[in-house]
Amino acid sequence: MTITADHGYDDLPRLMSLMTGDEKHDFAATSTLDVLWVLYDRVLDVTPGRAGAPDRDRFLLSKGHGPMAYYAVLAAKGFVPEEWLPGFGSYDSPLGHHPDRVLVPGAEIGSGSLGHGLPLAVGSVLGLRAQGLTGPAVWVLIGDAELDEGSNHEAIAYAGAAGLDRLHTVVVDNASASHALPGGIAARFEAANWSTATIDGRDHAALHEALTAPHPGRPHAVVARVEPKNAR
């Protein structure tokens, strides 16, 4: 097994091409690619060597039903070996159609069921706080369709009221939600006392600025707009 971490963003399409067999969720994967890259390349304080460090940042992929971009970025950054990628989804591969935290180095949660990641992220912040670890940031990436789930709205309401400023949510908006959100996605978070930003989810400079914006005393949500799922 050989793990290298010298890949750049331009190599991600090749890494993605090594994985086949989940065409149903290919757009769920590609819609997250730029956000994932900017997070792991420029924002998150976590590396393969610090993947178990108590003071590491935590990244939770709630949108785990389309994990190919996640696996490609983990391979590019040296968390998993590139040679695992062609086996994606096969019986004996650690890279399943939903990530498994026990099998995938760097994965914080098993995910894919809609509406689980943000409540788990809230619990992660509270757990870290209970241990006296107030430095690590917790990030969760959700899809806009996950906001159809009531569990997320409960988490949004609680986190805002509790002032969980180590909590960060990225909503990748590919217009796949079934229910409209009056005023837009950001308005739902703002009503619950979150800091928000809405940006082009393909613009790396805009992503970095939004992801690193200060938000004292409040959790932070970034809505990353990408191409509509049904407009391909």
Side-chain angles (χ1 to χ4, degrees):
M1 181 174 69
T2 303
I3 297 181
T4 59
D6 57 356
H7 302 283
Y9 175 78
D10 291 342
D11 200 32
L12 292 181
R14 182 187 66 82
L15 295 174
M16 289 277 287
S17 73
L18 298 176
M19 293 173 280
T20 60
D22 193 20
E23 287 76 11
K24 177 182 179 182
H25 289 129
D26 59 350
F27 195 72
T30 56
S31 66
T32 66
L33 187 62
D34 294 277
V35 171
L36 287 167
W37 177 256
V38 173
L39 278 169
Y40 275 90
D41 191 55
R42 303 174 62 184
V43 177
L44 293 171
D45 182 13
V46 64
T47 63
R50 297 189 66 249
D55 63 344
R56 72 189 183 280
D57 285 349
R58 272 73 167 171
F59 172 75
L60 283 59
L61 179 68
S62 185
K63 194 175 179 176
H65 52 282
M68 293 86 80
Y70 182 49
Y71 295 153
V73 171
L74 289 179
K77 290 300 179 181
F79 289 86
V80 303
E82 180 181 327
E83 55 259 37
W84 282 10
L85 300 181
F88 163 69
S90 61
Y91 176 76
D92 59 351
S93 173
L95 305 182
H97 292 290
H98 289 194
D100 185 328
R101 71 177 185 86
V102 176
L103 300 177
V104 181
E108 297 282 355
I109 59 171
S111 62
S113 297
L114 302 185
H116 287 179
L118 184 51
L120 287 171
V122 169
S124 297
V125 172
L126 294 174
L128 289 167
R129 178 187 289 181
Q131 298 174 71
L133 295 170
T134 57
V138 176
W139 290 85
V140 57
L141 188 155
I142 70 176
D144 62 312
E146 293 193 70
L147 294 174
D148 291 341
E149 304 293 331
S151 55
N152 275 333
H153 292 280
E154 292 176 3
I156 291 167
Y158 176 83
L164 300 185
D165 58 4
R166 303 311 293 156
L167 176 63
H168 309 76
T169 299
V170 182
V171 184
V172 174
D173 179 11
N174 64 4
S176 61
S178 299
H179 306 294
L181 295 167
I185 292 174
R188 173 65 188 88
F189 287 87
E190 290 166 2
N193 193 41
W194 286 59
S195 167
T196 69
T198 299
I199 45 85
D200 179 351
R202 302 300 189 192
D203 184 330
H204 290 196
L207 279 166
H208 183 257
E209 181 178 0
L211 294 169
T212 57
H215 50 95
R218 295 193 290 168
H220 186 51
V222 175
V223 181
R225 290 176 171 166
V226 296
E227 308 80 18
K229 179 178 180 179
N230 296 321
R232 287 178 289 167

